[in-house]
Structure formats: C-alpha cells, structure tokens
Amino acid sequence: MSPTSTTLRRTGTVAALTMAGVLAAAGAAFAHVTVHPESYAKGATDGVLSFRVPNEEDTASTTKVQVFLPTDHPVLGVLVTPQAGWTAKVTTTKLKTPVKTDDGTITDAVSEITWTGGRIRHGEFQDFDVAFGQLPDDTGRLTFKTLQTYSDGNVVRWIEEAKDGADEPENPAPVLTLTAKGAGAAGSDAGSANTSTSSSSEDAKESTASDKASDSTARSLGIAGLVVGVLGLLAAGFAIARGRSFSS
C-alpha cells in the first residue's frame, strides 16, 4: 500500500470517528427530559410549563411519564392541559407548611402528574403542558424529578441534581431557574398589572412556542457547524495527502 493511500485511509478513519463522536454527543444532549421555558421570575403568576420528553430507545416506545413537583416550595394552582392520546392523573399532597396567598391559605398542592395511554416512538418527542397559578418566591430553582417508562419495561430515572462546578450528571432532572423579579425572566411578575388568567396563559404559551423554535434552530445550527468542521478536517487531510503524493 502506497504512503498516499495509507494517509488517505487514516484521514478518513479519523474523520469518521470524529463525526461519530459529534453525533453521539449531540444525541445524548437532546435525549434529556427538560422543562421549557428554562426560567421564570420568582412569584410569577398564570403561566405554562412544558415538559419535553424525547424517546431515546431504538426498539421501544415511551408509554408512561411521571413528573414530581416539589412540595417544599410548591407550585400553586396547577392545571393539566389535555393531551391527545394521553390520560393525566394528578396527585395532591398536604403541605407541611401552608402557603398564604391573597386568596387565602393553601394547604394542599400537586405533588405528581402521571401521563399514560399514549406512545412516544423512536425519533419523536412529546411536550406535556402544565399551567400554574403561582410559582414560589422563596427559592432560586425548582427541580422536577421525572420517571420515563418504556414499552419494554425499562424505566429511566431523570432524578439527578447537578452540583455547582461539577459536570452534568448522566440522568439530570429538569430544572426551572427562578430569577429576581424584573430581571427579564420568561414568566410574568407576581406584582404586575391586573390581566386575565386566560390572556396570561396565552402569552406564556406563545413564549414557550418561541422557546421551542429557538431551541430547535440553535441545535440544528450547532450540529451543522460541527459537521462543517469535520468536513473541513477531512478536506485538509486529503489536501495534505495529495501534496505528499505530488512531491514524492
């Protein structure tokens, strides 16, 4: 085998391995269960959270999704948006510390939502929308631990919490960041002007839709950039090999 053929073969192998690594990393990142938008203002009222559940299995479908809502910093006034093909079961829990609101004292809050009956197949994802009346104003983040059950009985536990300064865990739980009021968060401010619940919910849904589109565009551009980089590496390898061939 000539030196030129050997160089070309090595260059092609390196490029193929690099491409495989890029696609594997991208696939792993996109397979996480996430919540959208990623942030809201503390104490925000009348908004919508969308839990995005992708199917990461090649030979099984997602048939059950369980989202656990925190009760130490409860989300108040939770309502589930009807999802075609899916049935939602809402579980409430008595709060250890009741929450005082303008409408009275709240002693119970939703602690779990379970969706069953539908299927998320390979290469697909499903958004599960949950409306809320008010978010807590006494914490900086809410963690929504999630269980994803597949048709083959496999259960993926998205329950790991990221530590400051540490790498992202293998199965991270969806996290909603709560920002200071007026800091440009996605949600409405708890002390904002009086608007109807329906109008606020529509605005939040539009924000969520925009967020989803931005995520898709950013991810597509990111992958495209990585692919172009790999192709550039491959082209450079061929150019070097041709140069060596002509000089020999």
Side-chain angles (χ1 to χ4, degrees):
M1 183 178 294
S2 68
T4 299
S5 298
T6 301
T7 301
L8 290 173
R9 184 176 180 181
R10 289 177 177 174
T11 302
T13 300
V14 170
L17 291 174
T18 303
M19 178 67 77
V22 167
L23 294 179
F30 298 163
H32 297 170
V33 175
T34 52
V35 61
H36 301 269
E38 297 179 350
S39 67
Y40 258 109
K42 292 182 178 179
T45 59
D46 300 327
V48 175
L49 297 175
S50 184
F51 294 93
R52 179 167 298 175
V53 182
N55 182 36
E56 60 177 4
E57 295 288 344
D58 295 333
T59 59
S61 300
T62 297
T63 57
K64 182 179 181 181
V65 176
Q66 296 167 268
V67 175
F68 297 87
L69 284 68
T71 55
D72 52 347
H73 302 286
V75 178
L76 305 181
V78 170
L79 295 173
V80 178
T81 302
Q83 197 76 40
W86 294 86
T87 299
K89 177 183 177 182
V90 179
T91 301
T92 59
T93 298
K94 186 168 290 296
L95 300 175
K96 292 182 178 180
T97 304
V99 179
K100 294 183 178 180
T101 70
D102 294 338
D103 297 323
T105 300
I106 306 298
T107 59
D108 299 88
V110 173
S111 58
E112 178 185 347
I113 305 173
T114 300
W115 287 272
T116 56
R119 282 183 178 271
I120 308 173
R121 295 175 173 79
H122 173 65
E124 299 178 345
F125 71 88
Q126 181 73 57
D127 284 342
F128 297 93
D129 294 337
V130 176
F132 64 81
Q134 183 174 333
L135 295 177
D137 59 4
D138 57 352
T139 184
R141 56 190 285 163
L142 294 176
T143 299
F144 300 93
K145 296 183 178 181
T146 302
L147 301 184
Q148 182 178 9
T149 302
Y150 286 89
S151 55
D152 60 2
N154 182 38
V155 178
V156 181
R157 301 169 62 83
W158 302 99
I159 62 173
E160 298 176 354
E161 299 186 43
K163 305 296 182 183
D164 292 338
D167 293 336
E168 183 180 61
E170 183 177 356
N171 295 315
V175 173
L176 177 70
T177 300
L178 297 181
T179 63
K181 298 177 181 179
S188 58
D189 194 315
S192 59
N194 294 327
T195 55
S196 67
T197 298
S198 59
S199 175
S200 299
S201 296
E202 287 301 318
D203 290 343
K205 288 180 180 178
E206 291 178 5
S207 176
T208 301
S210 175
D211 179 72
K212 293 175 185 176
S214 297
D215 283 352
S216 267
T217 301
R219 290 176 179 177
S220 298
L221 291 175
I223 292 177
L226 291 172
V227 171
V228 170
V230 172
L231 292 177
L233 175 63
L234 183 59
F238 277 115
I240 293 173
R242 291 186 64 185
R244 291 180 178 176
S245 177
F246 291 149
S247 63
S248 61

